[in-house]
Amino acid sequence: MNNLFTKFKEIIANNKSFAIISHLSPDGDNLGSIKSLYLYLKNLNKEVYPILFDKIPSNLKFITNDIPFTSNDKLIVDVLIAVDCGDKKRLGNIEYIYDNSKEIIKIDHHISGENYGTLNIIDPQISSTCELISKLFLDLNIEITPEISTSLLLGILTDTGRFLYERATEDTFQMAAKLIENGAEKDLLMKKLFQSNKLNALNAINKINNNAKFYYDNHLVITSVTNDFLNDYNLEVSDVETAINYYRDAEEVEVSCMLKEKENNKFKISFRSKNYVDVNLIANYFNGGGHKFASGCIINGDLKEVEEKIVERFKTINWQ
Ligand code: 5GP
Ligand code: MN
């Protein structure tokens, strides 16, 4: 890792203009990573262009308000930086920028994916890309300002489910403590991320879970959300995504899966597991990816067909 960190510093020192690209369906780890790198490069007086092709979830807007995102896909910069994204195709339409950049830096913690960078800093064991960037900054003696600390702690909190998951290790807790010591606004983050739900959204989440379907002796639970449903409640999909966690927390449930309609006959699927099922393998089968306990993919078909395809795939699992 140390060699990679040194190479990172060299690339930063030797170049002037940078684009930092978010992935589709950006999440806390992605946006926290982008903001920390944006602030770091700005402090060095570099030219920085954060790029966003998708929508920011409403509960994360507080952290991105002051990031001047552009959706310009015809930028020419020295260096393109992609964070928290295993697969290049999840970055959206970046071919032009990709082809015209001298260097591509990939910083990531996904098990799946390809080395699309000229520099690939990847640690599949670490809790989050934000923890990896914290390590990188500490190692390179880069100043972690209070604002950078808050951005980095955000990604650690969201990717570990507030330190619930196994990947929240002793190192993760220690890094979080260091960030708080450096001025990260822990209480603000906790409230904004986890205690600022719209009442309406919580009602919708109840409804989604009331319609959950259980398979394989309750080891698998499937919930779904359509665009009509969201329109009825005047909500966005990101407002109700936490529904996936509700039944996952039941002792009997090993895998929780949520189907989210993207457009007609096209669903974004999220998988979460708890103990032994590797949902990355399930997502890989459907050309998606992620981690052992959290993964996703896109499946085409109507709701019933998509659900059947998923249930069928879990036939291969030896439930414990
Ligand atoms: P989520 O369900 O929160 O969207 O994603 C869970 C994990 O799976 C994340 O780490 C995310 O990067 C990964 N993931 C979600 N959707 C996709 C996808 O379509 N392709 C790939 N390769 N990974 C995905
Ligand atoms: Mn992540």
Side-chain angles (χ1 to χ4, degrees), residues 23 27-30 33 83-85 108-110 126-130 155 158-159 167 291:
H23 62 59
D27 61 5
D29 194 25
N30 185 229
S33 300
V83 283
D84 195 41
C85 184
D108 189 32
H109 71 129
H110 288 89
I126 207 161
S127 72
S128 50
T129 304
C130 278
T158 52
D159 258 32
R167 279 183 306 137
H291 312 277

Side-chain angles (χ1 to χ4, degrees), residues 4-21:
L4 299 177
F5 289 176
T6 312
K7 182 87 200 300
F8 171 86
K9 200 159 190 178
E10 273 169 29
I11 295 178
I12 303 297
N14 295 335
N15 290 284
K16 274 203 219 123
S17 60
F18 298 79
I20 316 176
I21 174 94

Side-chain angles (χ1 to χ4, degrees), residues 25-248:
S25 310
D27 61 5
D29 194 25
N30 185 229
L31 295 170
S33 300
I34 290 172
K35 181 150 179 188
S36 67
L37 291 172
Y38 171 75
L39 293 171
Y40 157 62
L41 292 168
K42 272 293 180 198
N43 284 345
L44 295 176
N45 288 319
K46 304 285 183 183
E47 240 178 86
V48 198
Y49 303 94
I51 305 174
L52 175 77
F53 295 136
D54 209 339
K55 269 203 226 156
I56 301 202
S58 48
N59 72 330
L60 295 175
K61 283 189 179 142
F62 75 97
I63 202 82
T64 57
N65 272 340
D66 45 4
I67 305 183
F69 275 115
T70 167
S71 57
N72 182 356
D73 60 8
K74 295 285 180 297
L75 284 171
I76 296 186
V77 288
D78 297 329
V79 183
L80 172 65
I81 306 180
V83 283
D84 195 41
C85 184
D87 290 329
K88 189 167 157 233
K89 68 174 180 332
R90 255 194 117 209
L91 295 171
N93 183 22
I94 55 149
E95 288 313 321
Y96 184 88
I97 307 173
Y98 189 87
D99 291 344
N100 287 292
S101 300
K102 279 192 283 176
E103 302 273 5
I104 323 286
I105 302 179
K106 174 188 182 186
I107 310 179
D108 189 32
H109 71 129
H110 288 89
I111 280 188
S112 56
E114 76 274 39
N115 285 347
Y116 55 76
T118 52
L119 173 67
N120 300 285
I121 304 179
I122 298 162
D123 181 353
Q125 306 299 333
I126 207 161
S127 72
S128 50
T129 304
C130 278
E131 187 182 342
L132 183 54
I133 294 175
S134 308
K135 233 170 106 173
L136 171 90
F137 283 179
L138 276 180
D139 254 56
L140 294 173
N141 280 320
I142 289 167
E143 189 193 358
I144 304 182
T145 63
E147 213 182 345
I148 290 178
S149 305
T150 299
S151 312
L152 291 171
L153 185 60
L154 184 146
I156 293 178
L157 287 174
T158 52
D159 258 32
T160 62
R162 304 176 236 189
F163 303 110
L164 176 66
Y165 309 139
E166 278 173 24
R167 279 183 306 137
T169 61
E170 186 185 335
D171 286 348
T172 314
F173 279 88
Q174 272 169 0
M175 190 58 83
K178 210 162 278 167
L179 294 172
I180 293 169
E181 216 175 274
N182 279 4
E185 293 189 83
K186 189 250 314 166
D187 295 332
L188 173 95
L189 287 173
M190 290 294 192
K191 292 203 176 88
K192 290 277 192 193
L193 294 171
F194 307 115
Q195 296 197 298
S196 301
N197 280 316
K198 298 171 192 153
L199 188 56
N200 189 27
L202 291 177
N203 288 332
I205 289 170
N206 268 340
K207 181 95 180 170
I208 291 167
N209 281 313
N210 276 333
N211 292 327
K213 293 188 184 153
F214 293 84
Y215 300 89
Y216 304 112
D217 249 347
N218 299 330
H219 287 99
L220 169 68
V221 57
I222 298 185
T223 47
S224 56
V225 51
T226 60
N227 287 329
D228 282 349
F229 176 87
L230 290 173
N231 287 340
D232 281 353
Y233 277 86
N234 195 20
L235 291 170
E236 288 173 15
V237 70
S238 62
D239 295 322
V240 299
E241 272 175 332
T242 54
I244 195 172
N245 298 330
Y246 185 72
Y247 280 120
R248 179 204 58 190

